[in-house]
Amino acid sequence: AEAKPLIKVAAICGSLREGSYNRGLIRSAIEISKSSIPGVEIEHVEIAELPLLNTDLEGEGSFPPVVEAFRQKILEADSILFASPEYNYSVSAPLKNALDWASRPPNVWGDKAAAIISASGGSGGSRSQYHLRQIGVFLDLHFINKPEFFLNAFQPPAKFDKNSNLIDAKTRENLKQVLLSLQAFTLRLQGR
Ligand code: FMN
């Protein structure tokens, strides 16, 4: 088969804790793409240092340097991989903060393809994923519909090891299918 053109994916983790399972999912996604998906390059873009959104921090069309750097990373990406826990039936506050900063004019999310994965409690983060899809309407994000990826991180058999690395083969395969779908949809959206 002909080699696919390169797409750059910005991965964003909605959890700030060191042992985050969602962060573990991103590590796994990076590893999977490197080893078995030619044409997909994933970079984990940090959101922990972003200040809480306050429009007083904006100058005339300028942002604090960390915000500017974050916005630039998003702008340069072809698509976005969101990995976030569900907090009280919605997206995490750190993720919402990052979404809001990058939405300030000019909105840098516009026209990008995106996929959502989540490791959470009971329903695997499904409710937060539907909230994120709703937020994406105004941001002009274009989410893949399938495959869906909802992971209950606490239900046996163990999905992660003690370092929060993904060890479950079936989940790993599901994650690979999400990445392949994101790759195909990104290229289709860009007409490449
Ligand atoms: N899990 C759910 O499935 N649904 C929830 O509504 C939910 N609310 C939470 C609210 C807070 C403030 C916190 C801290 C956790 C909540 N959880 C909920 C559990 C987290 O999703 C779970 O701890 C998850 O592993 C955190 O992701 P992480 O490992 O990437 O940090």
Side-chain angles (χ1 to χ4, degrees):
E2 205 176 302
K4 292 196 166 69
L6 179 72
I7 65 160
K8 288 168 76 173
V9 179
I12 297 176
C13 181
S15 169
L16 304 187
R17 72 185 187 96
E18 175 121 13
S20 163
Y21 296 131
N22 288 283
R23 192 170 286 263
L25 289 180
I26 291 177
R27 281 195 300 276
S28 191
I30 291 173
E31 202 183 286
I32 292 166
S33 64
K34 277 190 178 149
S35 66
S36 55
I37 313 183
V40 173
E41 189 181 288
I42 304 176
E43 182 187 352
H44 183 184
V45 179
E46 292 288 344
I47 62 170
E49 304 305 324
L50 294 173
L52 279 180
L53 187 123
N54 176 349
T55 54
D56 288 346
L57 300 176
E58 298 175 7
E60 287 285 334
S62 77
F63 299 92
V66 280
V67 173
E68 193 62 61
F70 174 71
R71 289 171 54 91
Q72 193 58 34
K73 290 277 186 193
I74 299 305
L75 193 64
E76 286 166 6
D78 296 295
S79 50
I80 315 293
L81 176 67
F82 293 100
S84 183
E86 176 172 294
Y87 285 173
N88 297 314
Y89 282 27
S90 190
V91 298
S92 75
L95 175 57
K96 184 60 164 58
N97 189 53
L99 287 162
D100 290 342
W101 269 125
S103 78
R104 296 293 293 154
N107 167 33
V108 290
W109 302 109
D111 263 347
K112 295 189 194 291
I116 317 173
I117 55 178
S118 52
S120 239
S123 62
S126 55
R127 292 163 293 223
S128 65
Q129 290 201 17
Y130 297 128
H131 273 189
L132 181 49
R133 284 176 182 272
Q134 183 178 344
I135 293 165
V137 172
F138 192 63
L139 305 182
D140 259 330
L141 278 167
H142 304 286
F143 294 101
I144 63 164
N145 284 329
K146 289 175 192 153
E148 296 183 294
F149 185 106
F150 307 123
L151 182 64
N152 182 323
F154 307 102
Q155 193 173 281
K159 308 296 188 300
F160 298 92
D161 67 12
K162 65 178 185 355
N163 297 316
S164 300
N165 288 316
L166 183 65
I167 52 170
D168 185 63
K170 187 164 166 281
T171 306
R172 208 182 141 84
E173 179 56 31
N174 292 345
L175 182 50
K176 183 177 176 184
Q177 294 308 318
V178 169
L179 297 175
L180 287 169
S181 175
L182 180 62
Q183 178 185 36
F185 189 56
T186 303
L187 294 173
R188 186 174 150 200
L189 193 65
Q190 296 179 340
R192 290 204 275 162

